[in-house]
Amino acid sequence: VQLQASGGGLVQAGGSLRLSCAASGRTSSRYSMGWFRQTPGKEREFVAALNWNGDSTYYAEYVKGRFTISRDNAKDMVYLQMNSLKPEDTAVYYCAFDYASRWRYTPLYWGQGTLVTVSS
């Protein structure tokens, strides 16, 4: 499985960005996907995830109400819409893949990461 994340960049506080993640390879017909982020010196932390059909979504408390995860199974794409961005959202964002149809917080594959920088 290969994951290609894109959409990161520099944005001012209060602004928005949309991250995309394309999955390819042996993805199977049902799989769950998620997003994590990491800043230097800190462990990678969970951001958001959803089940294979999008019927359940999961968010970290610090992004609830501001971020929205979604997917397009026809295109094998997952998105992370980030609104009301804060400087503390600055991080490298990684998409993650699990063969389980329901998210288990233990992904098997990771994308290469895309940098999001929020200026104050």
Side-chain angles (χ1 to χ4, degrees), residues 16 28 50 52-54:
S16 299
S28 83
L50 75 175
W52 75 276
N53 60 357

Side-chain angles (χ1 to χ4, degrees), residues 31-95:
Y31 56 89
S32 54
M33 293 279 289
W35 289 92
F36 289 71
R37 67 187 186 187
Q38 188 171 24
T39 55
K42 294 182 65 177
E43 290 191 358
R44 193 171 296 185
E45 62 181 15
F46 171 75
V47 175
L50 75 175
N51 294 340
W52 75 276
N53 60 357
D55 65 340
S56 292
T57 54
Y58 311 86
Y59 294 96
E61 283 297 322
Y62 35 82
V63 304
K64 273 185 181 178
R66 301 188 297 123
F67 291 11
T68 302
I69 189 170
S70 61
R71 66 190 296 164
D72 184 340
N73 285 345
K75 298 180 180 179
D76 282 328
M77 295 288 294
V78 172
Y79 307 97
L80 185 68
Q81 177 66 44
M82 304 185 295
N83 298 329
S84 302
L85 282 161
K86 305 174 181 180
E88 50 264 44
D89 294 318
T90 295
V92 176
Y93 283 72
Y94 298 90
C95 58

